[in-house]
Amino acid sequence: MGPLRSTHVVANGRRRVLGRVLLIVALASALLLALMFVIDLGGAQYALVFAAFPLLIAGPAAVVLLRKAGKPEVIELYEDGLAHEFGGVRREWTWDQVTAVDVAERGTYSYTGSDIDCTIRFDDGALLHFTGLTQDSRVIVAALGTHCAAAAREPVRKQVKGRAVAVLGSITLVGGGVAAWAMSAVPGTPDGGDQFGLAMLAVACVVPAVISLILLIAVLVTGRR
C-alpha cells in the first residue's frame, strides 16, 4: 500500500438518522401493542399483536445502528490505495480496484450539514460511503480523481435505493389498500364472524403499511445511503 498519506475520521450521521427512524418504528409498534390492551374493537384489537414483528426487528436494529454510530470509523489514504477501519474490521484496496465513483456536490448544505456525498465501489463488490462531514473529505475526493480517473462516474447506489423504494412502496400501497377495502366493507357486512374477520384484516394490514411508510420516508430522506 505504500506510505500513509492521511487519516480521515468518518462521520456516522446517516447511521444515527436510520437508527433513530428504526427507534421510532419500534416505539410505534410498542404503542400499538399497548393499545391492544386498552381499546375495545369487539375483539379486532387483538390483530395489533402483529406489531410485535416490526418491534422485534426494528428494536434490535436501532440499538445496533445507534451503537455503531458511536464507534470510531476511519478512512486511510496510502500512496497505492486506501483502507477503511470500523469496529475492529479493516479492509484495504489498491487504486486499481476502484471500479466506480459516485460524487454528489451540493452548492448548499443539506439537512445533514454535508455538501459532499460520495460512494465508492470496488471490484470485490464492496461499497464505501462518506459525506462532507468526514474529516477533510475533499482530500479523499481529490485522491480519487487523481488515482482513479479510469473508474466509472455513475450513481453507484441508485439501483439499490430504487429497489428499496419499490419494495417499501408496494408494501405501503398493498397494505393500505387492503386495509381501506376491509374497513369500507365492514358496514355492509352482517354482524358476526365475517365482520370480525374484516376488522382483523384491516388492523393487520395497517400495521405493516404504517411501518413500511415510515421506512420509505427514511430511505427518501437519507438519500443514497
Side-chain angles (χ1 to χ4, degrees):
M1 296 287 286
L4 176 65
R5 295 302 185 187
S6 59
T7 300
H8 309 266
V9 178
V10 179
N12 287 322
R14 293 295 177 87
R15 288 191 179 92
R16 288 191 182 92
V17 171
L18 186 55
R20 289 168 183 168
V21 169
L22 289 174
L23 181 60
I24 292 173
V25 171
L27 292 175
S29 301
L31 177 60
L32 290 173
L33 284 174
L35 286 175
M36 182 178 67
F37 298 99
V38 298
I39 62 176
D40 184 7
L41 298 175
Q45 71 272 14
Y46 294 115
L48 291 173
V49 72
F50 287 100
F53 294 104
L55 174 62
L56 292 174
I57 296 173
V63 172
V64 171
L65 285 171
L66 292 174
R67 232 180 192 182
K68 283 186 174 182
K71 291 183 178 181
E73 182 177 2
V74 175
I75 295 176
E76 297 173 344
L77 293 184
Y78 291 85
E79 181 67 30
D80 300 321
L82 73 163
H84 174 252
E85 187 168 349
F86 177 57
V89 177
R90 181 180 177 83
R91 300 180 295 173
E92 296 181 350
W93 302 275
T94 58
W95 294 121
D96 58 6
Q97 287 183 274
V98 177
T99 58
V101 178
D102 178 12
V103 181
E105 293 273 359
R106 301 184 177 94
T108 57
Y109 282 84
S110 68
Y111 77 100
T112 60
S114 170
D115 59 345
I116 294 177
D117 193 291
C118 181
T119 304
I120 310 167
R121 185 173 66 203
F122 301 94
D123 59 2
D124 60 358
L127 295 176
L128 178 60
H129 175 265
F130 64 90
T131 70
L133 296 178
T134 296
Q135 180 183 14
D136 296 327
S137 57
R138 291 189 178 275
V139 174
I140 306 175
V141 173
L144 290 169
T146 300
H147 299 285
C148 309
R153 296 300 188 269
E154 62 183 43
V156 177
R157 298 302 296 268
K158 185 176 180 180
Q159 293 182 347
V160 176
K161 179 184 175 182
R163 286 195 291 267
V165 169
V167 171
L168 292 173
S170 298
I171 294 174
T172 302
L173 291 175
V174 172
V178 172
W181 169 81
M183 290 302 296
S184 65
V186 168
T189 303
D191 294 340
D194 291 341
Q195 193 177 73
F196 174 78
L198 286 171
M200 288 280 286
L201 177 63
V203 176
C205 289
V206 163
V207 173
V210 171
I211 300 302
S212 61
L213 177 60
I214 295 174
L215 293 177
L216 176 60
I217 294 173
V219 170
L220 293 175
V221 168
T222 53
R224 289 189 300 275
R225 182 60 171 162

